[in-house]
Amino acid sequence: MPTLSWNETPNLDPNSPRSVLFHLGRIAIRSSLPGPAVRRFLESNRPSGRIVLFSIGKAAEPMAAAAYELLESQISAGLILTKYGHSSGNQFPKLEIIEAGHPVLDANSITGGKRILELCTALQPEDTALVLLSGGGSALLEVPAAGFSLEDLIVWNRRLLESGADIREINTIRILLSEIKGGGLLSKILPAKSVTLILSDVLGDDLSKVASGPMIPSEIDRNSILRIFEHYHLPTDSKIESLLERKFRQSKETSSSAESGSSFPKPDPSSRDSSFSSEESKSLSKRNSVHCIGNIRLALEAVQNECKNRNIPVLFLTSSLACEAKEAGFFLGSIAKEAALTAKSPLLILCGGETTVTHDGKGKGGRNQELALAFAKQIAGESGITFLSLATDGSDGPTDAAGAIVDGTTWNEIAKTNDPNSALQNHNSYEALRSADALVFTGPTGTNVNDIQFLWITPSEKR
């Protein structure tokens, strides 16, 4: 069982592709750990007055721990809301801790959402709500829209995850069905001050989409939403249509108020925090601000710097890989075979992003596992090619694996006990890769900045 111990530093074997790729995986994860990023920001931008702390997402505990260490004397109350198994057992006397469902929300998601809204009622105008957001918050934090139940949201969440819609489209519908997403939390915090720090797992760093934007007012575009329902054959009914009309009217009223300065301030995309020159920042106003403190680009930059220090050539493809996981695997496999034909020295091909798996929910696996399985098929029998696809949070889909590492022998190894083509067709990548000892496990990492793909080419004279 390959285990990537991201918080340890084993000896690096430069002649072992697996050793090199695991080392670079550690670099990517460590560079995106949210605790140090939260600490750096707050040391330079300490909020004033009484603070209520809300930390939401798969990285909620390490983000909260960093803030708590610096600001304990100012914090009066708060809540850590994270995924099951992502709480270490550490206690923070002024903070409640709730674990909830992910990627499918559950009753605790709503318990956490309602508890946060309760804590907002005690905020005074000069208090500060410190909101720490990371990936996974869309499922972990919820208060259903009026007329909708937990069961309704679970059904819709499953439909969305199985539809093939990308994460932006999924979060657009999640915002529609929620009273706390799309600026709903900000509306309960106002007129108090707020500072929101975000570890972005959204391609392009549209911060209104991280955790479905509870602190950024979302414009409800009726036509765009209807196109999502139509394109993915998602059923609508009178409840959905009524909710869409209500949210659309509210969105227009909010936009008009914001433009006149009487309600929600709008994000300013051109604003950038001068303390974090390489990190995107959006400012709502002097009293309510939103800042991105980490993302996939920073993680990939750290890997590139490590390769530079070790004289490893790097071909950087993209930080925005977004397509069907299977198609990405075939495409990257084709690139690998071409690169292997002419490689004169070791080469790392690097990319990251968030792919999609469209399926009926029957198979077991995650997008990184399906991507790796398709890659293994494309390079079956080839030598000198090794590939690692990894979820930086340590949890690839609804499985305990973070991803997979494969090479030219993996496909045939699977075929000894399983039908790999059937596994790929039925999205059962977990079982297929497990049979070849190709799954990679990290455990919860405490961060979440999309997925990374490392493709290692060994020159022919060294194979």
Short mmCIF file of all heavy atoms in Angstrom, two decimals, residues 159-190:
data_model
loop_
_atom_site.label_atom_id
_atom_site.label_comp_id
_atom_site.label_asym_id
_atom_site.label_seq_id
_atom_site.Cartn_x
_atom_site.Cartn_y
_atom_site.Cartn_z
N ARG A 159 -27.57 14.17 -7.52
CA ARG A 159 -27.83 14.40 -8.94
C ARG A 159 -26.72 15.25 -9.57
O ARG A 159 -26.24 14.96 -10.68
CB ARG A 159 -29.17 15.12 -9.13
CG ARG A 159 -30.40 14.27 -8.89
CD ARG A 159 -31.64 15.13 -8.92
NE ARG A 159 -32.86 14.35 -8.74
CZ ARG A 159 -34.06 14.88 -8.47
NH1 ARG A 159 -34.17 16.21 -8.38
NH2 ARG A 159 -35.10 14.12 -8.32
N LEU A 160 -26.32 16.29 -8.86
CA LEU A 160 -25.30 17.18 -9.39
C LEU A 160 -23.96 16.47 -9.54
O LEU A 160 -23.26 16.61 -10.55
CB LEU A 160 -25.15 18.40 -8.48
CG LEU A 160 -26.35 19.38 -8.50
CD1 LEU A 160 -26.27 20.33 -7.31
CD2 LEU A 160 -26.39 20.14 -9.81
N LEU A 161 -23.57 15.70 -8.51
CA LEU A 161 -22.29 15.02 -8.54
C LEU A 161 -22.24 13.96 -9.64
O LEU A 161 -21.17 13.67 -10.19
CB LEU A 161 -21.99 14.39 -7.18
CG LEU A 161 -21.71 15.38 -6.03
CD1 LEU A 161 -21.61 14.64 -4.71
CD2 LEU A 161 -20.43 16.16 -6.30
N GLU A 162 -23.38 13.38 -9.96
CA GLU A 162 -23.42 12.33 -10.96
C GLU A 162 -23.71 12.84 -12.37
O GLU A 162 -23.65 12.09 -13.33
CB GLU A 162 -24.49 11.29 -10.58
CG GLU A 162 -24.17 10.53 -9.29
CD GLU A 162 -25.30 9.60 -8.85
OE1 GLU A 162 -26.35 9.58 -9.55
OE2 GLU A 162 -25.15 8.92 -7.82
N SER A 163 -24.02 14.14 -12.49
CA SER A 163 -24.49 14.68 -13.76
C SER A 163 -23.37 14.93 -14.77
O SER A 163 -23.62 15.00 -15.98
CB SER A 163 -25.22 16.00 -13.53
OG SER A 163 -24.31 17.01 -13.09
N GLY A 164 -22.13 15.11 -14.27
CA GLY A 164 -21.04 15.51 -15.14
C GLY A 164 -20.83 17.02 -15.15
O GLY A 164 -19.93 17.51 -15.81
N ALA A 165 -21.64 17.75 -14.40
CA ALA A 165 -21.46 19.20 -14.27
C ALA A 165 -20.13 19.49 -13.59
O ALA A 165 -19.69 18.72 -12.73
CB ALA A 165 -22.61 19.81 -13.46
N ASP A 166 -19.48 20.59 -13.98
CA ASP A 166 -18.22 20.93 -13.32
C ASP A 166 -18.53 21.60 -11.98
O ASP A 166 -19.67 21.92 -11.67
CB ASP A 166 -17.32 21.79 -14.20
CG ASP A 166 -17.89 23.17 -14.52
OD1 ASP A 166 -18.58 23.77 -13.67
OD2 ASP A 166 -17.63 23.67 -15.63
N ILE A 167 -17.46 21.84 -11.20
CA ILE A 167 -17.65 22.30 -9.83
C ILE A 167 -18.30 23.69 -9.79
O ILE A 167 -19.07 24.00 -8.89
CB ILE A 167 -16.33 22.28 -9.04
CG1 ILE A 167 -16.58 22.49 -7.54
CG2 ILE A 167 -15.36 23.29 -9.59
CD1 ILE A 167 -17.42 21.42 -6.89
N ARG A 168 -18.02 24.53 -10.77
CA ARG A 168 -18.64 25.85 -10.80
C ARG A 168 -20.15 25.73 -10.99
O ARG A 168 -20.94 26.42 -10.32
CB ARG A 168 -18.05 26.69 -11.94
CG ARG A 168 -16.59 27.10 -11.73
CD ARG A 168 -16.04 27.75 -12.99
NE ARG A 168 -14.65 28.13 -12.82
CZ ARG A 168 -14.24 29.35 -12.50
NH1 ARG A 168 -15.13 30.30 -12.30
NH2 ARG A 168 -12.97 29.62 -12.38
N GLU A 169 -20.56 24.86 -11.91
CA GLU A 169 -21.99 24.68 -12.16
C GLU A 169 -22.68 24.05 -10.95
O GLU A 169 -23.80 24.43 -10.58
CB GLU A 169 -22.18 23.82 -13.40
CG GLU A 169 -21.69 24.48 -14.68
CD GLU A 169 -21.54 23.52 -15.84
OE1 GLU A 169 -21.12 22.36 -15.63
OE2 GLU A 169 -21.83 23.92 -16.98
N ILE A 170 -22.00 23.06 -10.34
CA ILE A 170 -22.56 22.43 -9.15
C ILE A 170 -22.78 23.46 -8.06
O ILE A 170 -23.85 23.51 -7.42
CB ILE A 170 -21.64 21.29 -8.66
CG1 ILE A 170 -21.70 20.11 -9.64
CG2 ILE A 170 -22.02 20.84 -7.25
CD1 ILE A 170 -20.68 19.02 -9.35
N ASN A 171 -21.79 24.31 -7.82
CA ASN A 171 -21.91 25.30 -6.76
C ASN A 171 -22.95 26.36 -7.07
O ASN A 171 -23.57 26.92 -6.16
CB ASN A 171 -20.55 25.94 -6.47
CG ASN A 171 -19.64 25.01 -5.67
OD1 ASN A 171 -20.08 24.00 -5.16
ND2 ASN A 171 -18.38 25.36 -5.57
N THR A 172 -23.17 26.64 -8.35
CA THR A 172 -24.23 27.58 -8.73
C THR A 172 -25.59 27.07 -8.27
O THR A 172 -26.41 27.83 -7.73
CB THR A 172 -24.23 27.79 -10.25
OG1 THR A 172 -23.00 28.41 -10.64
CG2 THR A 172 -25.39 28.67 -10.68
N ILE A 173 -25.84 25.78 -8.45
CA ILE A 173 -27.12 25.21 -8.02
C ILE A 173 -27.16 25.09 -6.50
O ILE A 173 -28.21 25.30 -5.87
CB ILE A 173 -27.36 23.84 -8.68
CG1 ILE A 173 -27.27 23.96 -10.21
CG2 ILE A 173 -28.72 23.28 -8.27
CD1 ILE A 173 -28.23 24.96 -10.82
N ARG A 174 -26.03 24.75 -5.88
CA ARG A 174 -25.99 24.70 -4.42
C ARG A 174 -26.35 26.04 -3.81
O ARG A 174 -27.06 26.13 -2.80
CB ARG A 174 -24.61 24.26 -3.95
CG ARG A 174 -24.31 22.78 -4.13
CD ARG A 174 -22.85 22.48 -3.87
NE ARG A 174 -22.57 21.06 -3.72
CZ ARG A 174 -21.35 20.55 -3.70
NH1 ARG A 174 -20.28 21.33 -3.83
NH2 ARG A 174 -21.17 19.25 -3.55
N ILE A 175 -25.85 27.13 -4.40
CA ILE A 175 -26.16 28.47 -3.90
C ILE A 175 -27.66 28.74 -4.01
O ILE A 175 -28.28 29.30 -3.10
CB ILE A 175 -25.35 29.52 -4.68
CG1 ILE A 175 -23.87 29.44 -4.27
CG2 ILE A 175 -25.89 30.93 -4.45
CD1 ILE A 175 -22.95 30.26 -5.15
N LEU A 176 -28.25 28.33 -5.12
CA LEU A 176 -29.69 28.52 -5.32
C LEU A 176 -30.49 27.86 -4.20
O LEU A 176 -31.47 28.43 -3.70
CB LEU A 176 -30.10 27.96 -6.68
CG LEU A 176 -31.60 27.93 -6.98
CD1 LEU A 176 -32.13 29.35 -7.14
CD2 LEU A 176 -31.88 27.09 -8.22
N LEU A 177 -30.08 26.67 -3.79
CA LEU A 177 -30.85 25.87 -2.84
C LEU A 177 -30.56 26.20 -1.38
O LEU A 177 -31.07 25.54 -0.49
CB LEU A 177 -30.57 24.38 -3.08
CG LEU A 177 -30.93 23.83 -4.47
CD1 LEU A 177 -30.44 22.41 -4.62
CD2 LEU A 177 -32.43 23.91 -4.71
N SER A 178 -29.74 27.23 -1.14
CA SER A 178 -29.25 27.50 0.21
C SER A 178 -29.60 28.91 0.68
O SER A 178 -29.69 29.84 -0.12
CB SER A 178 -27.73 27.33 0.24
OG SER A 178 -27.20 27.72 1.49
N GLU A 179 -29.75 29.05 2.00
CA GLU A 179 -29.93 30.36 2.60
C GLU A 179 -28.64 30.93 3.17
O GLU A 179 -28.59 32.09 3.56
CB GLU A 179 -30.98 30.29 3.73
CG GLU A 179 -32.37 29.95 3.27
CD GLU A 179 -33.00 31.01 2.38
OE1 GLU A 179 -32.46 32.14 2.31
OE2 GLU A 179 -34.02 30.72 1.73
N ILE A 180 -27.56 30.11 3.22
CA ILE A 180 -26.32 30.58 3.83
C ILE A 180 -25.21 30.76 2.80
O ILE A 180 -24.25 31.49 3.04
CB ILE A 180 -25.87 29.61 4.94
CG1 ILE A 180 -24.89 30.31 5.91
CG2 ILE A 180 -25.26 28.33 4.38
CD1 ILE A 180 -24.64 29.52 7.18
N LYS A 181 -25.33 30.13 1.64
CA LYS A 181 -24.35 30.27 0.58
C LYS A 181 -24.62 31.56 -0.20
O LYS A 181 -25.63 32.22 0.00
CB LYS A 181 -24.39 29.06 -0.34
CG LYS A 181 -23.98 27.74 0.32
CD LYS A 181 -24.17 26.58 -0.64
CE LYS A 181 -23.52 25.30 -0.15
NZ LYS A 181 -24.04 24.82 1.13
N GLY A 182 -23.71 31.89 -1.12
CA GLY A 182 -23.94 33.04 -1.99
C GLY A 182 -24.14 34.34 -1.26
O GLY A 182 -24.97 35.17 -1.66
N GLY A 183 -23.39 34.56 -0.16
CA GLY A 183 -23.52 35.80 0.61
C GLY A 183 -24.49 35.72 1.76
O GLY A 183 -24.66 36.69 2.50
N GLY A 184 -25.13 34.56 1.94
CA GLY A 184 -26.11 34.43 3.02
C GLY A 184 -25.52 34.62 4.40
O GLY A 184 -26.14 35.22 5.29
N LEU A 185 -24.30 34.12 4.61
CA LEU A 185 -23.66 34.30 5.91
C LEU A 185 -23.29 35.77 6.13
O LEU A 185 -23.48 36.30 7.24
CB LEU A 185 -22.41 33.41 6.01
CG LEU A 185 -21.58 33.54 7.29
CD1 LEU A 185 -22.43 33.30 8.53
CD2 LEU A 185 -20.40 32.57 7.26
N LEU A 186 -22.77 36.42 5.12
CA LEU A 186 -22.44 37.84 5.26
C LEU A 186 -23.66 38.66 5.66
O LEU A 186 -23.56 39.56 6.49
CB LEU A 186 -21.86 38.37 3.95
CG LEU A 186 -21.54 39.87 3.91
CD1 LEU A 186 -20.48 40.23 4.94
CD2 LEU A 186 -21.11 40.30 2.52
N SER A 187 -24.81 38.33 5.10
CA SER A 187 -26.02 39.09 5.42
C SER A 187 -26.39 38.98 6.90
O SER A 187 -26.99 39.90 7.46
CB SER A 187 -27.20 38.59 4.56
OG SER A 187 -27.63 37.30 4.96
N LYS A 188 -26.02 37.86 7.55
CA LYS A 188 -26.29 37.67 8.97
C LYS A 188 -25.22 38.33 9.84
O LYS A 188 -25.46 38.63 11.01
CB LYS A 188 -26.38 36.18 9.30
CG LYS A 188 -27.45 35.43 8.52
CD LYS A 188 -28.83 36.02 8.75
CE LYS A 188 -29.89 35.22 7.99
NZ LYS A 188 -31.25 35.80 8.16
N ILE A 189 -24.02 38.51 9.29
CA ILE A 189 -22.92 39.13 10.04
C ILE A 189 -23.06 40.65 10.05
O ILE A 189 -22.79 41.30 11.06
CB ILE A 189 -21.57 38.71 9.44
CG1 ILE A 189 -21.27 37.24 9.80
CG2 ILE A 189 -20.43 39.61 9.90
CD1 ILE A 189 -20.07 36.67 9.09
N LEU A 190 -23.47 41.23 8.91
CA LEU A 190 -23.64 42.67 8.85
C LEU A 190 -24.63 43.15 9.90
O LEU A 190 -25.59 42.45 10.20
CB LEU A 190 -24.13 43.07 7.45
CG LEU A 190 -23.13 42.89 6.30
CD1 LEU A 190 -23.80 43.19 4.97
CD2 LEU A 190 -21.91 43.77 6.48
#
